[in-house]
Amino acid sequence: LTYEELSVKLPYINIENIKQTLAQNADFIWVSRETYSHIGKIKISAKEQDDIKKLVKKQISIHRFFSLNDIDITELGKCNPELSKTALHNAVYRLCLCDSYDKYGNIVTLKGTVLNASMIMEDYCRNRDKCTLNELIAFEKELCGASHRWLPMNTAYSVMVRVQENLFISEKDVNFDIEKIDKAIELFCVGDYIPLKMITSFSAFPYAGYQWNLFLLESFVRRFSRKFRFEVLAVNSKNAGAIVRKTRILNYHQIMANALAQSGIVLLENTTLIFLFEKGYIGRRSLAGIAGLIEEARKIRAGGR
């Protein structure tokens, strides 16, 4: 029933009180905009409830969390055709799981477990042979109620290998010859660092099971290289960032300041942003703190330090 339909049935109760009660009492299930059902109206057999409880218990013992989206609600939907998918998930939680589990969006965990989104996403990645970035972003939204991109990307980079802009795979499916790959990188990185984008040919790189590109190279440098590390302002899909020798202690601000000082360009805001963007140090033509970076580059040029 909608707010208005309930108000007609309950003429002596203020509609705002109706709305408040529906929102605060878990026995009322949200179906769609301004529409609710009561938990007592949900048609679900004792066997279905028992099967769901066993499934969730088993999966949480393995993964420490469970997504309600992984429950097959096809038959439940047929028995409750007026209910939305969200309503069915909420009903399942209320009828089968609320006594033993806490719910965060569509994710359930054992009661008292502190939800660690990064931990859950890492576990999600470890248990997949491949996963698209779009899937990870959707899972983050399901988990956290919002999508920020940096969390799923950082998590995927920490346990998987990125082979395309929208695809991560399990590290067991790549075969990195670390010594030969590091030697190939040294052909390009003759100094202390080089922007990732400046590596434009992969003819010297040994085949690793997937075709070489900048995404695969970034994954290798991030986790597998013995001689290099990856530095960047923020995780991104623009191939922005720098490959840096592990023997050099430089943060990313220092790397960009040094690059600007050695570039020979006029150190004005517009020219420095164009340089940093085109060389691949940043992924867009804007940068917080650009004035301070320019000042640092000028001091280096002047031999100040």
Side-chain angles (χ1 to χ4, degrees), residues 22-275:
L22 291 172
Q24 294 179 351
N25 190 319
D27 284 344
F28 296 104
I29 304 297
W30 184 89
V31 176
S32 59
R33 185 174 180 272
E34 299 188 355
T35 306
Y36 284 77
S37 182
H38 188 270
I39 197 69
K41 296 293 185 180
I42 310 302
K43 300 179 182 67
I44 179 171
S45 69
K47 183 180 184 306
E48 284 178 303
Q49 294 187 49
D50 189 52
D51 288 345
I52 289 170
K53 290 176 182 178
K54 288 179 180 178
L55 171 66
V56 174
K57 183 178 180 180
K58 178 181 178 181
Q59 292 301 313
I60 284 186
S61 71
I62 299 171
H63 303 297
R64 296 171 290 178
F65 72 95
F66 182 80
S67 172
L68 293 176
N69 279 333
D70 291 336
I71 295 175
D72 185 354
I73 57 173
T74 305
E75 292 304 315
L76 189 59
K78 290 178 182 178
C79 295
N80 302 272
E82 71 281 6
L83 297 187
S84 64
K85 182 179 179 181
T86 298
L88 291 171
H89 283 151
N90 289 337
V92 164
Y93 173 75
R94 185 77 180 97
L95 290 167
C96 309
L97 306 171
C98 67
D99 290 341
S100 302
Y101 304 98
D102 288 327
K103 179 173 174 289
Y104 305 87
N106 275 329
I107 301 298
V108 294
T109 62
L110 280 172
K111 275 196 177 298
T113 301
V114 177
L115 179 66
N116 184 321
S118 181
M119 176 191 74
I120 290 176
M121 291 209 68
E122 181 177 323
D123 191 73
Y124 179 89
C125 290
R126 286 190 187 280
N127 287 281
R128 279 157 178 77
D129 290 331
K130 60 178 59 178
C131 192
T132 69
L133 179 56
N134 290 339
E135 288 170 340
L136 292 172
I137 291 171
F139 183 65
E140 182 201 11
K141 188 172 183 180
E142 176 185 346
L143 182 63
C144 304
S147 174
H148 304 96
R149 295 183 69 90
W150 61 266
L151 175 59
M153 289 175 71
N154 274 330
T155 303
Y157 266 127
S158 72
V159 297
M160 303 184 84
V161 174
R162 195 175 190 179
V163 294
Q164 297 173 16
E165 180 176 355
N166 194 38
L167 181 62
F168 289 86
I169 64 167
S170 171
E171 64 179 63
K172 67 180 175 59
D173 293 327
V174 293
N175 181 28
F176 288 132
D177 188 324
I178 296 175
E179 184 177 354
K180 288 183 179 180
I181 297 170
D182 276 345
K183 285 182 178 179
I185 294 173
E186 285 185 313
L187 296 175
F188 296 88
C189 187
V190 295
D192 295 330
Y193 58 85
I194 184 175
L196 179 68
K197 277 187 175 180
M198 292 299 100
I199 296 185
T200 55
S201 170
F202 293 99
S203 58
F205 286 72
Y207 185 63
Y210 279 79
Q211 183 176 350
W212 279 100
N213 56 41
L214 294 178
F215 296 107
L216 182 57
L217 179 59
E218 180 179 338
S219 276
F220 170 80
V221 177
R222 277 179 177 272
R223 295 181 51 220
F224 301 94
S225 176
R226 299 190 184 106
K227 294 185 177 181
F228 301 95
R229 69 181 191 273
F230 190 72
E231 295 283 347
V232 67
L233 280 177
V235 66
N236 62 86
S237 294
K238 304 290 186 181
N239 300 129
I243 298 171
V244 187
R245 289 188 181 273
K246 289 184 175 180
T247 54
R248 293 292 288 138
I249 303 174
L250 292 169
N251 61 38
Y252 204 60
H253 179 90
Q254 293 170 322
I255 289 169
M256 290 192 294
N258 274 283
L260 286 170
Q262 297 167 18
S263 67
I265 67 169
V266 178
L267 293 175
L268 299 174
E269 181 172 326
N270 185 52
T271 54
T272 55
L273 287 173
I274 291 174
F275 172 83

